[in-house]
Amino acid sequence: MEILKTYKLYIGGQFPRTESGRSYAVKSVNGEHIANVCLSSKKDVRNAVQAARKAQLAWAGKSAFNRSQIVYRIAEMLEARKAQFIEELQALGQSKKSAESEVSMSIDRCVYYAGWADKYQSIIGSVNPVASAHFNFSVPEPTGVVGIVACQETALLGLISQLLPVIIGANTAVVLANATKPTCAISFAEVLATADVPGGVVNILTGQPAELLPTLSAHMDVNALSIAPIESKLQKEAQAEAIDNLKRVHIFVEPLYVKKAQGLPYIADFQEIKTTWHPIEQIAGGAGGY
Amino acid sequence: MSQKNWNLEPSLESAALLKLQDQYELFIDGKWQAPLSKKYFDSINPSDESKLAKIAWANEADTDVAVKAARTAYENVWSKLSGAQRGKYLFRIARLMQEQAKELAILETLDGGKPIRESRDVDIPLACNHFFYYAGWADKLQEAFAGQQISSLGVAAQITPWNFPLLMLAWKVAPALACGNTVVLKPAETTSLTALKFAEICQQAGLPAGVVNIVTGYGDTGAALVAHTDIDKIAFTGSTAVGKQIQKACLGTSKKLTLELGGKSANIILEDAPIDQAVEGVINAIFFNQGHVCCAGSRLYVQESIAAQVLAKLKFRLQSIYVGNPLDKNTDIGAINSKKQLETIERYIKLGIAEGGQIYQPTCELPSKGYYCKPTLFTDVAQSATIAQEEIFGPVLTIQTFRTMEEVIQKANNSPYGLAAGVWTDKGSRIFGLSQQLRAGVVWANTYNKFDPASPFGGYKESGFGREGGRHGLSAYLKFSN
Amino acid sequence: MLTSFSSSDIAASIAKSPTVDQIGILERVARIQTRSFKGASKIQGLKMALSMIDLTTLEGKDTPSKVRQLCYKAQHLHDQAPGLPMVAAVCVYPTMVKEAKKALGNSGIKVASVSTAFPSGQAPFEVKKIDTLYALENGADEIDMVISRGRFLAGDYQFIYDEIAAIKELCTSARLKVIFETGELDSLDQVRKISDLAIVAGADFIKTSTGKIQPAATFPVVLTMLGSIKDHFDRTGQMIGMKPAGGISSSKLALQHLLLVKEVLGEAWLTNEWYRFGASSLANDLLMQYQKQLTGKYQSAAYFSID
């Protein structure tokens, strides 16, 4: 007899059940019961944001090279569990071909963003030739804690497309998974947990965006939102709630599961530019190498 | 031979150069147009409360005319010009501004109350330089964003504050035009005159009609502009409260938004700092432009081991800060921009005393007419005190001490704002370490309140989003499509 | 009398010297330079500057005759303009002290003598002592000694301290000015260090330069030295004098220097007891400006005597 998996949440590197004790059934396209997943509550959002905040400084404190290695490790772990994800996607109603394609694109995307970890700074940053005797440079820094409403069409690729540019840029994330296809997101959490991603860097909740998003977008300790195409009323409400602490809100209108839904701008959207000035001493008569 | 009381005499800049009109209309479609509202308001000289001119007060219908003019100019003329051609117009504007720099400086000082030394040496030259800088970008935009598809946005609505009227105009208009947009600009109601002079400069430059439109008025004018359905971009510099209102007004629209809002920036002096220069930096950080600076270093944190020395030096330095007539070339602190702002500052000073802070103000005489405020220090201020948390936008400094680096980083970041920070220390590795930890868009290390067109400026957190200046400043005025 | 400093005390004194940020100094100077001098306050400033001049001749070709002419000028700056002050002192080589003393009589103008193998300071210590004693025995009221810059740059602070302290010991009643020759000292941090060291070693005045090396009394250097004087005063209550020398040849520069003193140290220093200009051509420029203020007419050098 097969042992069934209990799908729990992923918060602070742990897999707790929702504090609310609620669950909802995920069904296949044919209406077969796949699993009961947690129906997260506002308090789960709060816990996830707390975990993300706690993890952020240390995550940003790691070297960019190290973050690169960790994200590459996600690709390795995903590759190792490829069959599981293909099976899960198929159970959710995708054809084998489409499932295979989605998983391999997901792996490729991990490899792609792993490579960006120590490069985007050189492209987004700059040294600025100011007119006074100052050295002036601009560097990107993570915005902080990012709330993600994952793609509601795909179960894995959309989520990865939103999440990786956020964490590769040294932010931490609280993800509201695809509401109707949440199983892959939790399996992906298992990948993260085994890929040396520090606890709290990614936190994944399953449940209803309509219930959770207002809390997430109003949370004063969330710095930015990444919102995949969702119902426009919900999106507008989230934007309105975000104003209170001036969250940076990025709303995707283009689908996230296509090949070109990756690139530097996806990283730059969750970066702040910091410009530092310092005087340059003027040395009289110095030949300066010329 | 003993010489006591050697005091400088006033050295007034002559305002004779100015040819002020009694009444100013709206600048729309390259022409001066009387407002459909038929309403005007008075612009007051804050240094003596005299009336400078009557200025048109645009209503919704006026902003509509202006947006239509900008749209027509965008579609028929400006979007069709090459980047090189746009650049040439900007270069021309920059030169014309330089030629009339003295007049602009005097006008800025009369209208806004800032010392002539600052408008002459800082505001106006920086504004000219900003146009020069972005003029050069106009035909190099694709190089700035390699691999991305870019285009202009369309019509930009721009709302500027009263603290750096012409400079903020330059920060907004120059990149907007360089990127191929047309603009409708609303200057702050207390400081419209340099914007109106700028309109003349646009005429002198032969800038096509409708590319730059200037609608003067109060907040209702700005609100009407923001609400207009045919604008593609809003750039706002001002208070966080108004910034949030603008965001709300833009909900559900595709208007691109950049906000440069308030701040309560920390200025940190460590015990190994170049102390005299740090003290001078503190003076510059908080008393520059009467403290009407969004990135003013209004929270001073001094390491305990040098706190007494720094405080003594600050108090001594205040004795040679001249407060008075902004047109006097020797004035360091001019007039507070408006009666309303003076009342706000005075309310905060009273509150600071009520909350237990120790106040220090130098003995100096203030002019009997006009809006003036002495440079003010507060010691014994708790982190939780209102004056240490809220933006005062005046010459009021709160001073706190700290013992460890960890403590000061926490205190400095303990604010909803994140615009700027100052760090004073001689140790290179510490400068980079602190700079990294401070959540602010600009970090001045061993300096403060420096600005340059090549240097991106803008905040973290509630200090806004988007950058002005540098290559980064271009993004705000471009559309990116995959 | 002299307190003996151990080398650890000297090390401690140097360690206390705060670091100096040159760009910050330049900004402070730029701010002073935008100050505008007008009307009566300008006239007051010009007269004050005249009264602070150490009228100087320090040339190999100096003769008693040249020194006598200079001393006459010191007492009669411009007799056409009544009410002008006399200069503070005449500054000469030790061999000319006797002549200067005689020429100045009881005018009240001091005689300052350079010493310690001015300008290079490259002489055995015993020679420097003799040099100083000779000036003092001939009646010098003030001694302008030079430090051994090579030793200072080599980090031999004890030597510098001892040298200054020993000369100070000789100057029983004369006031001691210590010349750093800042044009040879590389950075403002060094200027600050030597200022702090010279003050603890007994300098009554600190002085920028010999006038033989460029750059001399630049604003950044002077401001740095004023910072040292201010900190010493804040710590001990003891005033130290300041003498910029070399390079200050125009009235505008002189007035700006005076304002710098007022803003950095305070008005107490605005007397020739605590502030001097080491200069030769400055006097006539001040006089021309003074006449311009009185008459409203720009002046010609032909109407002002050169000595």
Side-chain angles (χ1 to χ4, degrees):
Chain A
M1 195 177 150
E2 203 184 343
I3 306 290
L4 295 175
K5 183 159 97 182
T6 308
Y7 287 88
K8 297 195 280 188
L9 305 177
Y10 185 50
I11 298 175
Q14 309 288 313
F15 289 90
R17 289 195 170 83
T18 167
E19 65 76 42
S20 69
R22 304 176 303 172
S23 68
Y24 69 109
V26 178
K27 296 204 161 101
S28 74
V29 276
N30 308 324
E32 290 159 8
H33 180 85
I34 295 175
N36 291 317
V37 300
C38 293
L39 183 63
S40 303
S41 67
K42 290 177 181 178
K43 284 190 179 167
D44 292 321
V45 171
R46 178 200 63 189
N47 295 344
V49 171
Q50 255 172 21
R53 172 59 62 200
K54 203 173 156 207
Q56 201 271 329
L57 265 186
W59 180 235
K62 285 189 181 297
S63 71
F65 178 74
N66 194 205
R67 277 195 300 276
S68 176
Q69 297 234 306
I70 290 170
V71 173
Y72 185 74
R73 182 77 180 153
I74 298 175
E76 288 179 346
M77 292 295 102
L78 207 49
E79 181 76 42
R81 295 178 182 226
K82 207 171 175 177
Q84 179 199 340
F85 282 95
I86 291 170
E87 205 174 293
E88 271 181 353
L89 288 173
Q90 279 182 282
L92 290 166
Q94 276 173 245
S95 70
K96 183 155 191 264
K97 199 179 158 208
S98 140
E100 281 171 355
S101 152
E102 180 164 347
V103 174
S104 72
M105 269 174 80
S106 297
I107 296 167
D108 287 351
R109 203 146 279 180
C110 292
V111 174
Y112 173 78
Y113 279 113
W116 264 124
D118 49 6
K119 295 167 191 71
Y120 67 87
Q121 300 86 341
S122 311
I123 299 182
I124 305 176
S126 57
V127 171
N128 312 305
V130 296
S132 54
H134 293 91
F135 188 71
N136 177 297
F137 60 97
S138 299
V139 290
E141 288 191 344
T143 300
V145 172
V146 181
I148 296 177
V149 180
C151 174
Q152 298 293 306
E153 291 168 75
T154 56
L156 182 65
L157 181 56
L159 163 65
I160 284 180
S161 303
Q162 281 174 277
L163 177 66
L164 292 186
V166 164
I167 63 170
I168 205 73
N171 300 283
T172 55
V174 173
V175 180
L176 306 186
N178 183 328
T180 54
K181 302 173 181 174
T183 46
C184 265
I186 296 302
S187 296
F188 182 62
E190 292 159 15
V191 166
L192 296 172
T194 52
D196 309 328
V197 179
V201 169
V202 182
N203 305 275
I204 301 179
L205 304 177
T206 53
Q208 294 305 321
E211 182 187 0
L212 304 178
L213 182 54
T215 306
L216 186 61
S217 54
H219 199 302
M220 294 298 278
D221 209 22
V222 172
N223 303 107
L225 293 175
S226 163
I227 303 178
I230 50 166
E231 191 198 333
S232 76
K233 183 169 161 279
L234 204 54
Q235 173 195 308
K236 207 175 155 183
E237 276 171 18
Q239 280 179 287
E241 290 290 1
I243 292 173
D244 224 11
N245 70 336
L246 257 77
K247 288 183 187 67
R248 285 70 168 124
V249 182
H250 296 279
I251 298 201
F252 294 95
V253 285
E254 311 282 331
L256 287 150
Y257 44 82
V258 294
K259 267 225 154 67
K260 63 176 188 177
Q262 62 180 23
L264 182 61
Y266 292 84
I267 301 173
D269 279 347
F270 300 96
Q271 297 292 312
E272 303 286 322
I273 297 298
K274 172 181 282 177
T275 300
T276 303
W277 295 67
H278 196 276
I280 303 173
E281 187 165 86
Q282 308 295 294
I283 298 165
Y290 291 101
Chain B
M1 177 175 166
S2 177
Q3 291 280 358
K4 290 297 168 194
N5 300 321
W6 183 48
N7 293 319
L8 294 185
E9 282 180 23
S11 176
L12 294 185
E13 185 62 69
S14 163
L17 194 65
L18 287 186
K19 294 173 287 285
L20 272 184
Q21 297 168 29
D22 293 337
Q23 181 175 313
Y24 287 88
E25 311 297 348
L26 305 173
F27 184 70
I28 296 175
D29 203 17
K31 301 180 289 283
W32 297 100
Q33 303 194 10
L36 299 171
S37 70
K38 299 196 166 62
K39 286 199 327 197
Y40 292 84
F41 62 94
D42 290 342
S43 191
I44 303 294
N45 178 345
S47 73
D48 61 6
E49 303 170 52
S50 65
K51 180 176 143 186
L52 288 168
K54 252 169 70 180
I55 293 174
W57 189 340
N59 66 8
E60 203 180 327
D62 291 307
T63 58
D64 184 52
V65 177
V67 171
K68 283 201 170 99
R71 173 63 60 193
T72 308
Y74 174 71
E75 277 167 8
N76 297 349
V77 188
W78 200 245
S79 65
K80 294 188 173 151
L81 289 183
S82 68
Q85 285 170 307
R86 291 197 309 269
K88 281 182 180 172
Y89 277 111
L90 291 176
F91 277 124
R92 203 188 263 185
I93 289 172
R95 272 284 189 252
L96 287 161
M97 286 170 76
Q98 282 182 326
E99 286 162 13
Q100 294 159 89
K102 189 71 169 277
E103 190 179 343
L104 285 164
I106 297 167
L107 198 54
E108 201 76 300
T109 286
L110 273 184
D111 201 18
K114 66 172 62 203
I116 187 73
R117 180 177 64 81
E118 289 178 7
S119 50
R120 180 195 66 206
D121 297 345
V122 183
D123 288 61
I124 307 304
L126 274 178
C128 301
N129 296 356
H130 218 80
F131 273 94
F132 255 99
Y133 178 81
Y134 278 104
W137 268 126
D139 57 354
K140 301 166 192 71
L141 300 173
Q142 193 56 66
E143 282 87 342
F145 299 98
Q148 297 184 55
Q149 274 186 31
I150 50 167
S151 55
S152 56
L153 290 163
V155 176
Q158 307 184 314
I159 300 176
T160 50
W162 46 259
N163 57 345
F164 295 94
L166 189 71
L167 182 57
M168 291 301 108
L169 175 150
W171 280 26
K172 294 199 161 33
V173 174
L177 299 193
C179 292
N181 309 284
T182 57
V183 307
V184 179
L185 176 108
K186 191 205 88 76
E189 65 272 12
T190 57
T191 53
S192 315
L193 291 176
T194 45
L196 295 165
K197 174 69 193 169
F198 178 76
E200 272 178 38
I201 289 172
C202 291
Q203 286 181 319
Q204 292 170 7
L207 189 71
V211 173
V212 169
N213 304 277
I214 294 176
V215 291
T216 41
Y218 278 74
D220 57 335
T221 309
L225 186 57
V226 163
H228 200 288
T229 51
D230 199 30
I231 54 171
D232 304 286
K233 156 83 192 177
I234 297 170
F236 171 76
T237 296
S239 72
T240 293
V242 174
K244 288 179 182 179
Q245 282 173 26
I246 291 175
Q247 260 197 306
K248 286 197 177 106
C250 292
L251 277 179
T253 73
S254 58
K255 292 168 188 169
K256 188 166 173 167
L257 188 60
T258 42
L259 300 173
E260 205 273 89
L261 309 176
K264 190 75 186 176
S265 299
N267 199 1
I268 301 166
I269 307 184
L270 301 179
E271 62 184 4
D272 67 338
I275 292 190
D276 288 329
Q277 290 81 60
V279 167
E280 198 58 26
V282 171
I283 296 286
N284 188 36
I286 186 62
F287 302 126
F288 177 53
N289 199 30
Q290 295 74 246
H292 302 328
V293 184
C294 47
C295 51
S298 52
R299 288 187 290 151
L300 177 62
Y301 292 97
V302 189
Q303 199 152 18
E304 273 189 17
S305 53
I306 53 162
Q309 194 189 8
V310 167
L311 186 63
K313 280 174 181 282
L314 270 174
K315 288 179 174 174
F316 183 83
R317 180 67 180 91
L318 283 190
Q319 290 171 11
S320 44
I321 295 282
Y322 300 90
V323 187
N325 187 344
L327 275 179
D328 183 344
K329 291 176 218 165
N330 291 323
T331 290
D332 296 307
I333 298 182
I336 299 301
N337 184 265
S338 65
K339 187 161 185 256
K340 191 174 143 213
Q341 186 58 26
L342 180 60
E343 285 164 1
T344 301
I345 296 167
E346 285 172 343
R347 195 176 66 237
Y348 274 115
I349 290 177
K350 283 199 189 103
L351 194 61
I353 296 167
E355 284 181 340
Q358 292 295 310
I359 187 173
Y360 176 83
Q361 291 178 320
T363 47
C364 60
E365 289 217 0
L366 300 181
S368 54
K369 272 195 116 180
Y371 317 128
Y372 293 93
C373 179
K374 286 183 182 180
T376 305
L377 309 178
F378 271 103
T379 52
D380 292 338
V381 181
Q383 179 82 1
S384 53
T386 314
I387 54 165
Q389 294 202 322
E390 293 182 11
E391 182 174 40
I392 299 173
F393 227 60
V396 181
L397 179 68
T398 62
I399 304 173
Q400 297 178 63
T401 60
F402 68 93
R403 294 147 298 169
T404 66
M405 226 83 73
E406 186 190 2
E407 178 188 2
V408 78
I409 290 167
Q410 282 174 2
K411 281 183 170 170
N413 286 338
N414 179 213
S415 165
Y417 295 114
L419 192 47
V423 177
W424 299 84
T425 168
D426 196 40
K427 189 163 175 169
S429 58
R430 189 164 293 151
I431 288 168
F432 289 111
L434 276 168
S435 168
Q436 227 169 49
Q437 301 263 324
L438 293 165
R439 300 290 288 158
V442 182
V443 177
W444 283 294
N446 292 326
T447 186
Y448 207 97
N449 269 345
K450 293 286 177 302
F451 309 93
D452 194 279
S455 175
F457 182 91
Y460 285 19
K461 303 194 277 185
E462 288 200 33
S463 289
F465 45 72
R467 292 291 176 269
E468 296 187 295
R471 181 179 62 84
H472 297 86
L474 294 168
S475 314
Y477 291 97
L478 290 171
K479 185 154 86 189
F480 295 85
S481 37
N482 288 324
Chain C
M1 267 322 285
L2 197 66
T3 31
S4 180
F5 261 52
S6 72
S7 31
S8 63
D9 290 332
I10 289 154
S13 149
I14 295 284
K16 258 191 290 182
S17 297
T19 177
V20 179
D21 184 79
Q22 180 212 36
I23 302 302
I25 288 269
L26 286 169
E27 284 171 12
R28 179 74 181 92
V29 166
R31 197 150 172 175
I32 281 287
Q33 291 188 304
T34 64
R35 295 287 197 216
S36 174
F37 301 90
K38 287 272 185 271
S41 73
K42 183 169 182 180
I43 291 176
Q44 191 183 352
L46 292 169
K47 286 167 86 170
M48 195 157 56
L50 282 169
S51 77
M52 291 169 167
I53 289 177
D54 281 6
L55 206 58
T56 301
T57 183
L58 291 168
E59 293 178 356
K61 61 180 190 263
D62 283 349
T63 58
S65 166
K66 159 76 188 173
V67 169
R68 279 197 300 276
Q69 288 172 41
L70 193 72
C71 290
Y72 185 84
K73 169 83 174 181
Q75 298 166 84
H76 305 270
L77 278 171
H78 194 62
D79 289 342
Q80 292 87 326
L84 284 178
M86 292 186 291
V87 300
V90 163
C91 182
V92 294
Y93 270 113
T95 47
M96 298 294 148
V97 168
K98 192 182 256 176
E99 198 61 43
K101 204 62 198 164
K102 201 167 94 190
L104 290 169
N106 50 12
S107 65
I109 296 175
K110 309 271 193 248
V111 173
S113 172
V114 296
S115 85
T116 65
F118 180 96
S120 75
Q122 295 285 18
F125 187 54
E126 288 308 310
V127 175
K128 292 184 183 182
K129 271 169 113 170
I130 293 166
D131 194 23
T132 308
L133 282 171
Y134 181 87
L136 289 169
E137 278 159 15
N138 281 283
D141 305 295
E142 299 170 355
I143 293 294
D144 290 25
M145 71 172 283
V146 291
I147 63 154
S148 300
R149 281 87 77 187
R151 292 285 194 132
F152 175 74
L153 291 173
D156 197 350
Y157 304 130
Q158 183 72 52
F159 181 91
I160 302 296
Y161 177 87
D162 290 344
E163 194 176 55
I164 297 169
I167 300 296
K168 170 72 176 178
E169 205 169 26
L170 301 179
C171 297
T172 42
S173 59
R175 293 178 87 198
L176 177 64
K177 307 190 195 107
V178 179
I179 305 172
F180 301 153
E181 197 64 305
T182 52
E184 291 186 342
L185 294 191
D186 190 44
S187 72
L188 295 179
D189 293 298
Q190 298 283 44
V191 171
R192 174 68 198 217
K193 265 194 222 170
I194 185 62
S195 302
D196 291 349
L197 182 59
I199 289 172
V200 295
D204 296 306
F205 263 82
I206 52 178
K207 175 174 169 184
T208 59
S209 327
T210 62
K212 306 295 182 194
I213 294 275
Q214 287 301 322
T218 63
F219 276 108
V221 158
V222 171
L223 177 52
T224 303
M225 291 166 68
L226 293 178
S228 171
I229 293 173
K230 171 74 171 141
D231 284 344
H232 180 75
F233 177 74
D234 286 346
R235 259 196 311 272
T236 65
Q238 183 196 11
M239 289 173 79
I240 302 293
M242 173 72 203
K243 179 176 174 185
I248 303 172
S249 54
S250 79
S251 301
K252 191 172 179 184
L253 283 175
L255 291 173
Q256 288 170 346
H257 273 285
L258 290 179
L259 193 64
L260 194 64
V261 171
K262 176 182 150 89
E263 292 198 3
V264 175
L265 295 179
E267 287 201 317
W269 267 263
L270 288 182
T271 92
N272 62 14
E273 195 186 349
W274 300 112
Y275 197 82
R276 298 284 178 82
F277 289 108
S280 38
S281 59
L282 174 63
N284 271 8
D285 194 71
L286 288 167
L287 292 169
M288 283 167 72
Q289 283 298 319
Y290 181 75
Q291 280 298 91
K292 151 76 178 56
Q293 285 303 111
L294 294 188
T295 63
K297 294 177 191 167
Y298 291 107
Q299 301 293 303
S300 158
Y303 294 83
F304 296 83
S305 62
I306 30 173
D307 280 291

